[in-house]
Amino acid sequence: MENVHPAPGVYAFDLPDQYVAFGEKHHMFIVGHCLVWHNQVPAWVFRDDKGNFVDRETLLKRMHDHIFTVVGRYKGRIQSWDVVTKH
């Protein structure tokens, strides 16, 4: 998440686009890994604009928005997703 969605409302799709294009060019089975992983969630996801921890609903909304934005971009192009990984 930290590389693709480094800041609120900011997405960096250059490298994932290249990854997907490479897989498509070579007729590969493409796996999207990993939408949310505990080691690569940027700090802004957990904090509000004053630096306080966000509540559960805000955190879930941010994860939802991230997942739907990324998956939506590659709908029909990525065959399998690792959605949330803890360990």
Side-chain angles (χ1 to χ4, degrees):
M1 185 174 181
E2 70 186 354
N3 293 325
V4 174
H5 195 178
V10 175
Y11 287 87
F13 287 118
D14 291 347
L15 289 177
D17 285 351
Q18 291 175 34
Y19 169 80
V20 173
F22 179 87
E24 290 173 331
K25 179 180 178 182
H26 297 284
H27 308 287
M28 301 170 86
F29 183 89
I30 303 169
V31 177
H33 177 80
C34 170
L35 289 164
V36 179
W37 184 35
H38 74 287
N39 280 343
Q40 293 182 334
V41 177
W44 69 265
V45 173
F46 301 104
R47 305 281 183 161
D48 64 18
D49 57 355
K50 296 177 184 171
N52 301 310
F53 283 109
V54 297
D55 60 17
R56 179 181 185 274
E57 289 186 26
T58 301
L59 181 58
L60 290 174
K61 180 173 181 354
R62 289 177 178 179
M63 288 174 46
H64 175 276
D65 292 348
H66 170 76
I67 290 166
F68 275 73
T69 298
V70 175
V71 171
R73 182 177 183 89
Y74 301 107
K75 183 177 181 178
R77 299 175 67 198
I78 291 183
Q79 289 76 37
S80 176
W81 285 97
D82 299 329
V83 179
V84 177
T85 303
K86 183 178 177 207
H87 296 291

